[in-house]
Amino acid sequence: QTVVTQEPSFSVSPGGTVTLTCGLSSGSVSTGYYPSWYQQTPGQAPRTLIHSTNTRSSGVPDRFSGSILGNKAALTITGAQADDESDYYCVLYMGSVMVFGGGTKLTVL
Amino acid sequence: QVQLQESGPGLVKPSETLSLTCTVSGGSISGYYWSWIRQAAGKGLEWMGRIYSSGSTNYNPSLKSRVTMSVDTSKNQFSLKMNSVTAADTAVYYCARGQTAMVYWGQGTLVTVSS
């Protein structure tokens, strides 16, 4: 069974840049997996940041960007702010099913 | 603006069937894919499955034996049923729209499985 992998935790300084990744336990992530990214704060529904690798959802600031880096999908946050401290999840579309990664807890300090 | 709202019992007894409905407003249910996602307390998100407005479905293989999704285009609603629930099915359940990603989300509803 294919597992979608994410870093369990990451930290970034305010104003800094951080790249979170989304990989596969076996194989490489490509645009054909339509990687998407979601931000979730405690008690709230997820917010869609990026879909189809690099398309920002409506209202998402351009300091959030998506890409493919090597064999993984990536979410880059440029100029991190305190309210970016959240859990971040990626999803890969595998034909007829979607699979979530385990999530990355991002700390801004 | 498309809005989704989950509804259903907040408490279900073990071994019984969990039933939830998602009502779509601000847009038609037709022509789109609709998913259910859940999240147990302190855990990650789990995609449960999706239904197209025509009624075709795809389910998470780990839940496929217990899950049924349906759609009612006349009411702009789609539904989730999961049988033989246990305490492990206690979670916040979200509905969402999207084919290759979840673009619109409901606010979620907590379902507790307990006697």
Side-chain angles (χ1 to χ4, degrees), chain A residues 38 40 48 93 96 98, chain B residues 39 47 50 58 99 102 105:
Chain A
Y38 307 84
Q40 188 182 36
T48 306
Y93 176 69
S96 58
M98 297 194 202
Chain B
Q39 185 174 37
W47 183 80
R50 70 178 186 179
N58 303 112
Q99 180 176 358
M102 277 64 71
W105 291 76

Side-chain angles (χ1 to χ4, degrees), chain B residues 4-81:
Chain B
L4 293 83
Q5 179 68 59
E6 305 88 350
S7 60
L11 182 64
V12 182
K13 290 182 168 53
S15 79
E16 294 191 345
T17 297
L18 176 158
S19 295
L20 294 174
T21 295
C22 183
T23 300
V24 180
S25 59
S28 175
I29 202 168
S30 297
Y32 295 99
Y33 286 87
W34 305 91
S35 289
W36 288 96
I37 301 99
R38 69 177 181 176
Q39 185 174 37
K43 304 295 185 182
L45 295 160
E46 178 181 32
W47 183 80
M48 301 180 68
R50 70 178 186 179
I51 186 165
Y52 188 61
S53 56
S54 65
S56 64
T57 55
N58 303 112
Y59 298 132
N60 184 324
S62 68
L63 298 171
K64 187 174 184 177
S65 64
R66 297 197 292 136
V67 167
T68 302
M69 296 181 187
S70 59
V71 62
D72 186 338
T73 55
S74 67
K75 294 183 179 178
N76 240 31
Q77 294 177 334
F78 62 104
S79 298
L80 167 72
K81 291 187 186 298

